[in-house]
Amino acid sequence: MNYEIIELPRHLDRRGNLSVVENGIHIPFDMKRAFFIYDVPGGESRAGHAHHTLYEFIIAVGGSFTVHLDDGVEQESILMNKPYVGLLVKPGTWSHLVDFSSGAVALVLASDFYNEDDYIRNYDEFLELKRKNGEIS
């Protein structure tokens, strides 16, 4: 599977805890874009796509949600519920965010600026691309 779970440094303090993400240190890319997903209505999902070249680092900064990952052969589900743990989703991995708790906030750090041409939004096209590249049979 084409992902990595990365635990971020935690600075514990009675006044409140702090975690940090630094380019090239905690994530293997220089962040070019950050976006938040929040106020997701019950039963709704987000993402449902893959990228050709983009890396994403997903953090549950509040609440919880599940990330379903699929490389065309294997599927795995990761519960995101700790603000000091990030999920690095590598290019060529289909991701789908579901089961948002009330008040959940997902922070996504991306390796590049928005480029619609980098998205693979159709699952059948995703599988066909994987077959073409010899990644699945």
Side-chain angles (χ1 to χ4, degrees):
M1 188 63 72
N2 214 7
Y3 74 90
E4 188 177 340
I5 296 173
I6 299 172
E7 188 164 332
L8 300 170
R10 293 190 306 168
H11 303 281
L12 306 177
D13 189 303
R14 64 177 175 75
R15 301 168 297 163
N17 301 329
L18 180 141
S19 288
V20 64
V21 179
E22 294 179 319
N23 288 338
I25 296 173
H26 305 110
I27 53 176
F29 58 83
D30 287 335
M31 182 197 66
K32 299 265 178 58
R33 179 170 57 113
F35 58 92
F36 299 86
I37 301 170
Y38 58 95
D39 290 342
V40 178
E44 291 296 324
S45 64
R46 294 299 312 236
H49 61 264
H51 290 280
H52 291 283
T53 62
L54 186 83
Y55 286 79
E56 291 183 319
F57 190 67
I58 304 169
I59 304 167
V61 294
S64 66
F65 52 87
T66 299
V67 182
H68 294 303
L69 301 169
D70 183 334
D71 66 3
V73 177
E74 296 180 78
Q75 296 82 38
E76 197 161 338
S77 296
I78 309 294
L79 175 64
M80 301 298 297
N81 62 355
K82 297 177 179 120
Y84 56 88
V85 174
L87 176 64
L88 177 65
V89 180
K90 298 176 183 178
T93 304
W94 189 270
S95 65
H96 196 90
L97 283 63
V98 299
D99 299 329
F100 285 81
S101 69
S102 178
V105 178
L107 168 63
V108 182
L109 308 178
S111 64
D112 209 345
F113 301 110
Y114 177 81
N115 176 2
E116 182 60 32
D117 292 339
D118 191 62
Y119 283 77
I120 307 164
R121 296 190 184 273
N122 180 287
Y123 186 73
D124 290 333
E125 289 175 18
F126 167 74
L127 292 177
E128 184 56 34
L129 184 63
K130 290 286 200 172
R131 280 187 201 94
K132 218 190 244 184
N133 291 338
E135 296 174 53
I136 62 173
S137 52

